[in-house]
Amino acid sequence: MLTVRELRAGYGNVDVLHGISFDVRPAECVALVGANGAGKSTALRCVCGLVRARAGSIEFEGARIDHVPGHRIVRRGITMCPEGRQVFADMSVLENLRMGGHMRRDRDQRRDLEALFDMFPALRPRARQRAGTLSGGEQEMLAIARALMSRPKLCIFDEPSLGLAPKIVDEVERTLARIKANGTTVLLVEQNASMALRLADRAYVLEAGNIVLEGSGQELQTHPEVSKAYLGY
Ligand code: ATP
């Protein structure tokens, strides 16, 4: 579904990604794990068209997207749930969800809203509440629900567990597992490597802008270098 080859990207004079290649197949959950600053978010931003590739290629469903503007990439079926949630703080929960589906022209949006309120029951009684007044965990659920409102083929999550209490992190993990079980393809970036590797069918380890290891989530969970560097045992 997604084929990234020899991708180079960076900011100003500095290259952050030094030619990385990775794939995401339909209905897979693929994780990029690695330390702070390794370039994980930059890789995601390139896929979404928010940072331009300096070299290499990005193909989605067989077509190059590395020169396609971000808003057109969303229309092709790639949606990002951004790091730090970035809900529209002054808009209500319902308005945030409608924004997630703003480019849709079909008549199923009302049904999807209902389904999302069923999936995230804490959001239903808060539908008219300003999103900025929600707790961090509720905002994360809203950011995930907003991403799903676009009915993405590929849903990208950037650090969904960041800054959340352990109980909420468990809820995020269960939610992502459910999204994957529903057939949505997932690309996940996480510093919480143990969570990411539990969820991932396959994963790539990124170090200083290079992919240094790849394997199934299960293989990497027991890989000595990964467990020492990222899992803390
Ligand atoms: P984190 O978990 O901290 O987000 P990461 O692996 O996702 O880590 P990136 O956010 O991709 O890493 O950052 C990679 C490098 O690029 C870092 O050195 C970071 O300081 C730098 N960087 C990220 N965004 C920008 C930007 N907008 N302008 C300049 N440098 C940036």
Side-chain angles (χ1 to χ4, degrees):
M1 184 179 243
L2 182 75
T3 309
V4 176
R5 288 290 171 268
E6 296 297 323
L7 174 65
R8 291 179 178 272
Y11 307 93
N13 296 328
V14 182
D15 272 350
V16 168
L17 299 175
H18 307 292
I20 64 165
S21 300
F22 62 93
D23 299 290
V24 183
R25 300 171 194 143
E28 259 192 332
C29 173
V30 170
L32 304 180
V33 298
N36 223 332
K40 306 179 299 295
S41 299
T42 303
L44 297 188
R45 287 184 210 129
C46 289
V47 173
C48 296
L50 303 175
V51 169
R52 282 284 156 237
R54 292 178 171 174
S57 64
I58 305 173
E59 270 186 23
F60 180 64
E61 296 189 314
R64 289 280 290 264
I65 56 165
D66 40 275
H67 291 290
V68 176
H71 65 282
R72 290 198 195 281
I73 292 178
V74 179
R75 284 179 200 278
R76 290 189 190 202
I78 301 182
T79 297
M80 163 116 91
C81 179
E83 182 174 339
R85 328 185 220 295
Q86 299 186 29
V87 296
F88 301 109
D90 291 330
M91 296 171 108
S92 71
V93 165
L94 191 59
E95 286 165 340
N96 267 270
L97 292 174
R98 288 204 174 118
M99 285 297 280
H102 74 90
M103 84 296 277
R104 285 176 56 177
R105 296 286 172 265
D106 59 272
R107 293 173 189 278
D108 294 341
Q109 293 186 54
R110 196 179 291 252
R111 209 174 59 198
D112 282 10
L113 277 173
E114 274 305 305
L116 287 169
F117 281 132
D118 287 344
M119 188 169 177
F120 302 99
L123 296 180
R124 191 187 288 278
R126 295 174 173 75
R128 309 270 163 204
Q129 194 174 319
R130 270 185 59 234
T133 63
L134 300 178
S135 71
E138 289 162 353
Q139 288 192 21
E140 185 61 49
M141 296 306 157
L142 176 57
I144 295 173
R146 181 183 57 184
L148 295 177
M149 258 311 277
S150 69
R151 287 196 174 174
K153 294 176 187 164
L154 173 63
C155 199
I156 298 184
F157 295 92
D158 194 356
E159 304 275 7
S161 79
L162 194 74
L164 298 177
K167 214 176 102 193
I168 312 291
V169 173
D170 291 346
E171 200 180 330
V172 169
E173 181 170 345
R174 282 196 300 275
T175 303
L176 295 190
R178 224 168 128 189
I179 291 169
K180 192 198 147 202
N182 288 344
T184 303
T185 310
V186 172
L187 176 59
L188 168 68
V189 153
E190 258 298 337
Q191 279 184 48
N192 182 341
S194 48
M195 168 176 138
L197 295 179
R198 276 196 302 273
L199 285 166
D201 297 301
R202 291 183 311 106
Y204 297 83
V205 179
L206 205 56
E207 262 177 33
N210 294 294
I211 286 173
V212 293
L213 274 175
E214 63 175 281
S216 72
Q218 218 163 16
E219 276 162 9
L220 291 182
Q221 278 184 72
T222 53
H223 192 288
E225 278 174 44
V226 175
S227 47
K228 198 164 136 232
Y230 303 110
L231 303 175
Y233 52 82

